[in-house]
Amino acid sequence: MKKETSKLLWIKSSLLALAFIFGLSGVGLVCVGGSVALELVDVAVVVREVTSHAAVVLALVGGIVFFLSVFGCIAVIGENNSMIKGFTVIMCITFTVEIGVGLFAYFHRGLVHSNMVNLYLKTLRRYSTERRIKISVDRLQKKFECCGAMDYTDWFNTTVGKAVPDSCCIKEKPQCGSVVQSHAKDNIHVQGCIKKMDSWIWNHNFIIGGVGIGLGIAQVIAMIFSCLLLRILLTDYEEL
């Protein structure tokens, strides 16, 4: 009985530690989601469907993870069989959904990229007629030091004509982008904003992916420990 008690305490302590990690991770993901939304506020005007969804998904996942951590702590401390079962089932469902979302994002990454390009090109055509678009595109091009969608020549198909906005210039000054010559790379940023944003997103996805893998492993361990705890509690109940 003493051996079972020590095992029970060890499992409970491990689960509480994992729940605490989940809670911190959940808060972290919510903060990252907010950071992405603020960092890409101008990008959202250009490719709203992509950036807004990314921020919402991160914040939503963070909220769910935090809820799970609180629910798990209450279940473990109270040694409530029903709550522990519920915690295990919710954890299993969450883990399955996370895998599904990850696989969907991986296999449809090409579609996301093409959508971003198409949305950006459509936005460029509205640059000269909508002030809000102009301000956001200029800020975006300055921030990422880029020009156009795939490269600076995308501007040649817009109302701007055979020129680029001044925000494309390496050293910005009035009318610096009015004449684009063959040695454009000496005066303007020639790389497209989609390529620059792809690099930015990839760098952040690498961090988020690492956190996701760590959370996934922790969730599997938590589910195993929950089953062990439930088994010990049911055994003790039957002996009574």
Side-chain angles (χ1 to χ4, degrees):
M1 186 70 180
K2 186 176 181 180
K3 184 177 179 180
E4 289 295 321
T5 302
S6 62
K7 185 187 293 186
L8 176 64
L9 290 174
W10 184 81
I11 292 175
K12 286 180 65 176
S13 300
S14 299
L15 276 172
L16 288 173
L18 287 170
F20 180 73
I21 294 173
F22 289 155
L24 291 179
S25 301
V27 173
L29 286 173
V30 171
C31 292
V32 170
S35 176
V36 168
L38 292 174
E39 184 75 13
L40 300 182
V41 63
D42 293 312
V43 182
V45 176
V46 182
V47 283
R48 184 176 305 164
E49 288 80 358
V50 178
T51 53
S52 60
H53 290 175
V56 170
V57 168
L58 284 173
L60 182 61
V61 171
I64 292 173
V65 170
F66 182 77
F67 165 77
L68 268 177
S69 69
V70 174
F71 185 81
C73 286
I74 296 174
V76 172
I77 293 173
E79 297 185 4
N80 187 303
N81 291 351
S82 298
M83 290 186 70
I84 294 173
K85 286 180 182 178
F87 174 72
T88 306
V89 171
I90 295 173
M91 186 76 74
C92 184
I93 293 173
T94 304
F95 181 70
T96 304
V97 170
E98 287 171 354
I99 292 177
V101 171
L103 290 174
F104 179 85
Y106 178 79
F107 287 112
H108 290 79
R109 63 190 185 282
L111 180 61
V112 172
H113 176 83
S114 62
N115 284 342
M116 287 179 68
V117 173
N118 292 332
L119 287 168
Y120 203 109
L121 290 174
K122 289 179 181 178
T123 302
L124 297 187
R125 300 186 186 101
R126 297 156 55 195
Y127 178 85
S128 300
T129 57
E130 297 184 33
R131 178 175 172 77
R132 182 174 176 234
I133 293 294
K134 182 181 185 302
I135 293 173
S136 294
V137 170
D138 284 340
R139 286 177 179 172
L140 178 64
Q141 293 192 147
K142 292 176 185 178
K143 180 181 182 63
F144 288 95
E145 297 182 345
C146 56
C147 187
M150 298 306 293
D151 60 42
Y152 71 99
T153 60
D154 291 327
W155 284 107
F156 298 168
N157 299 319
T158 69
T159 53
V160 174
K162 299 296 182 180
V164 298
D166 293 343
S167 57
C168 286
C169 297
I170 295 174
K171 293 182 178 179
E172 186 179 355
K173 57 184 179 180
Q175 304 301 316
C176 62
S178 59
V179 179
V180 179
Q181 302 173 350
S182 57
H183 54 284
K185 64 180 180 180
D186 296 330
N187 303 318
I188 66 172
H189 300 291
V190 296
Q191 191 173 21
C193 294
I194 295 298
K195 292 181 180 178
K196 288 292 187 78
M197 286 191 290
D198 277 345
S199 299
W200 190 92
I201 292 171
W202 171 255
N203 291 335
H204 283 71
N205 276 348
F206 183 77
I207 297 172
I208 295 169
V211 173
I213 292 173
L215 273 176
I217 294 173
Q219 284 175 323
V220 172
I221 296 173
M223 285 187 284
I224 294 173
F225 281 4
S226 295
C227 291
L228 290 174
L229 177 60
L230 194 60
R231 181 180 177 184
I232 292 173
L233 292 176
L234 289 175
T235 300
D236 291 345
Y237 178 79
E238 289 174 358
E239 288 179 355
L240 292 174

